[in-house]
Amino acid sequence: MSEQQVHLSVAQRIIIKFLTHEGVKPIEILQRLTAQFGDQTLSRARVFAWHKKFKEGRELVENVEHDRRPRTSITEENIRTIRELLERDRRLTLSEMTAQVGISYGSCQTIVTKDLGFRKVCARWVPRLLTAEQKLRRFQVCQELSARFSEEGDTFLNRIVTCDEAWVHHYTPESKQASMEWRRKEEAAPVKAKTRLSAGEGAGNCFFRPAWRFAH
């Protein structure tokens, strides 16, 4: 092995081993290493620790590989179980899934975000949910109003009476935070209407004639 291929820490351990066998004290070994390697010298604790190991008979200067504990929580079975849970209920929290599957919070989060590719998003607010027929009717009305304005001009606008409404709920409607769901990156956010038909709400209407002003 060439000098360029020896890591600095390994090179210093070789020196420590040699000087230890020569009977040099660890404090003197540290001083010699500092004079040679400067800021890249091993710490005092590491020098003394390696001196003790070599004095006790250790021969290897490299670190011993240790078997890492396998990540048993992230398994195909757990991934499949969490996928099934999310398909049934997109609003499950990580804590709820962790309790049902019996794995750690971190492992559950990794499975949901990395292995399954889910992210949690809020519902997209819209004024109300309309059927295809209702959307078509609104489009037709807009076309009719535009055509009448083209024919009659300001006279048509002066005859318009507008209406506004305010919805008063008998209860606190679900917030955007409460409506968060798990969605894949390619999936659109869920849609949530601000108002919906319910016995728990009423509407107050106000009619008035607007004052139209145009800049010429």
Side-chain angles (χ1 to χ4, degrees), residues 66-203:
H66 295 284
D67 294 333
R68 295 185 177 180
R69 183 180 178 182
R71 300 178 64 183
T72 56
S73 296
I74 304 179
T75 62
E76 291 298 327
E77 181 180 357
N78 287 338
I79 293 174
R80 183 176 62 255
T81 301
I82 291 178
R83 181 190 295 111
E84 293 173 353
L85 289 174
L86 287 175
E87 292 299 335
R88 290 198 297 266
D89 185 358
R90 294 293 186 93
R91 296 192 182 186
L92 280 175
T93 64
L94 289 173
S95 298
E96 291 171 338
M97 286 185 281
T98 296
Q100 293 189 46
V101 181
I103 61 177
S104 68
Y105 186 94
S107 297
C108 183
Q109 185 177 43
T110 299
I111 291 175
V112 172
T113 58
K114 299 294 180 62
D115 295 283
L116 297 179
F118 279 92
R119 59 195 177 97
K120 209 163 192 182
V121 296
C122 292
R124 180 168 56 88
W125 285 113
V126 295
R128 64 186 72 250
L129 297 177
L130 301 175
T131 64
E133 181 180 355
Q134 290 171 329
K135 294 177 182 178
L136 177 60
R137 180 54 186 157
R138 279 162 172 73
F139 177 72
Q140 292 172 341
V141 169
C142 290
Q143 286 184 316
E144 294 172 3
L145 294 177
S146 179
R148 289 192 60 183
F149 174 70
S150 298
E151 295 176 0
E152 304 176 27
D154 291 351
T155 303
F156 168 69
L157 294 179
N158 291 333
R159 294 200 301 270
I160 292 179
V161 176
T162 62
C163 172
D164 195 9
E165 63 183 15
W167 288 92
V168 180
H169 295 269
H170 299 173
Y171 63 96
T172 302
E174 184 182 58
S175 64
K176 288 187 67 176
Q177 184 72 20
S179 68
M180 292 183 72
E181 294 184 5
W182 291 102
R183 294 276 172 155
R184 293 187 177 91
K185 294 181 179 180
E186 65 273 12
E187 292 180 320
V191 177
K192 181 177 179 60
K194 290 184 179 180
T195 58
R196 63 183 185 276
L197 294 177
S198 172
E201 62 187 8

Side-chain angles (χ1 to χ4, degrees), residues 7-63:
H7 195 275
L8 282 177
S9 61
V10 176
Q12 294 181 63
R13 293 170 197 167
I14 294 174
I15 297 173
I16 295 172
K17 178 181 178 182
F18 173 79
L19 294 178
T20 299
H21 291 166
E22 289 288 316
V24 180
K25 295 182 179 181
I27 188 62
E28 185 178 346
I29 295 177
L30 176 61
Q31 293 172 352
R32 294 189 184 186
L33 290 175
T34 304
Q36 179 67 31
F37 295 97
D39 294 339
Q40 295 180 316
T41 305
L42 294 174
S43 67
R44 176 188 174 93
R46 298 308 304 157
V47 171
F48 276 64
W50 280 104
H51 175 273
K52 183 175 183 294
K53 292 177 181 178
F54 293 134
K55 192 172 182 179
E56 293 174 348
R58 174 166 176 156
E59 294 295 329
L60 291 176
V61 294
E62 293 86 2
N63 289 322

